[in-house]
Amino acid sequence: MQPIEKALNNVFDFLGNKYDLPAGEYINSDFGEVVQIKNPYYFQSPANVKFSFGTEKELNVWLQGKKEKYPLAWLVYPVTENSDNTPNKIVTYRSMRIIFAINNDSDKLVQTRVQTTRYILDQVVEKFCKLMTQGKFRKYIWMDRNGQHSQKFFPNYSVNSQTDSGQIDIWDAIVLECDIYFNPNCMPK
């Protein structure tokens, strides 16, 4: 891994499984009439966020080769590095894209996903952003506290090709676009 990937890996290792799953076997719908939604995460424990990187095509290859893969944070290549000539050699990554994904059932409505998969993804993205703006990693990797970033929620973002077992992955995602700053001189060895 190159330094920026190592630094992001450190952040995601620290984030680990520090998020909540929806509680209860059924969730009351927040939309329209009172409907109970079967909780797809009932009796599960939060899993550690997996981090990797590459092109979107490589993402599908990575997914096919893994059993434990969600929730996932994927740094989308290519990335553009801009560095300054100061002694610190700060590197800026403008409009860096990170896909945060979690698996789902394709027959669920978006209204259901807002209270299940998006509930989880929002927490993971929020905790990542907080670590990058206020956390202990600010010594060597950070997002500007006042800087803008954008998030888009994509239900059914991807359906990768058939796997050896005949199963396909269907997942919801939030794509985060942000500027990330990196000081490789301050990164722990």
Side-chain angles (χ1 to χ4, degrees):
M1 276 192 267
Q2 294 300 312
I4 187 67
E5 294 83 1
K6 287 180 185 177
L8 285 169
N9 191 62
N10 290 347
V11 174
F12 285 108
D13 279 351
F14 184 80
L15 195 148
N17 65 353
K18 296 178 181 107
Y19 59 91
D20 295 320
L21 297 175
E25 186 174 359
Y26 291 92
I27 303 164
N28 289 328
S29 174
D30 288 340
F31 305 99
E33 62 187 70
V34 178
V35 176
Q36 291 213 320
I37 302 164
K38 184 151 177 62
N39 181 355
Y41 305 103
Y42 183 62
F43 259 114
Q44 292 183 24
S45 297
N48 287 341
V49 175
K50 285 67 171 175
F51 170 72
S52 199
F53 52 90
T55 65
E56 286 197 45
K57 183 179 179 182
E58 291 172 324
L59 170 56
N60 285 329
V61 173
W62 185 89
L63 286 170
Q64 289 177 3
K66 299 286 183 186
K67 290 204 185 293
E68 299 289 325
K69 46 192 161 188
Y70 298 109
L72 169 66
W74 186 270
L75 171 61
V76 180
Y77 275 38
V79 295
T80 302
E81 295 181 3
N82 298 300
S83 57
D84 60 27
N85 289 326
T86 63
N88 287 335
K89 299 259 187 232
I90 304 297
V91 181
T92 304
Y93 296 87
R94 298 261 181 233
S95 298
M96 186 174 266
R97 288 181 60 223
I98 302 173
I99 298 172
F100 293 83
I102 194 161
N103 57 327
N104 70 52
D105 294 329
S106 64
D107 61 341
K108 302 283 189 238
L109 298 173
V110 173
Q111 291 173 339
T112 302
R113 291 192 176 110
V114 167
Q115 291 183 250
T116 56
T117 56
R118 182 157 185 186
Y119 173 78
I120 296 167
L121 290 170
D122 281 341
Q123 290 178 73
V124 173
V125 172
E126 180 182 331
K127 289 178 187 298
F128 171 77
C129 290
K130 188 172 183 178
L131 285 171
M132 294 292 286
T133 58
Q134 302 171 12
K136 70 178 195 166
F137 300 97
R138 284 192 55 81
K139 295 173 188 151
Y140 62 93
I141 185 169
W142 66 94
M143 291 169 41
D144 187 345
R145 290 179 191 184
N146 300 318
Q148 293 184 345
H149 62 274
S150 67
Q151 297 179 37
K152 274 188 193 175
F153 176 64
F154 291 91
N156 284 325
Y157 184 85
S158 178
V159 178
N160 72 337
S161 56
Q162 293 282 9
T163 62
D164 294 337
S165 65
Q167 298 290 323
I168 57 173
D169 283 2
I170 302 168
W171 40 275
D172 294 341
I174 290 179
V175 176
L176 174 70
E177 288 193 17
C178 59
D179 295 344
I180 293 182
Y181 303 90
F182 178 59
N183 184 344
N185 297 324
C186 293
M187 188 166 147
K189 300 291 180 205

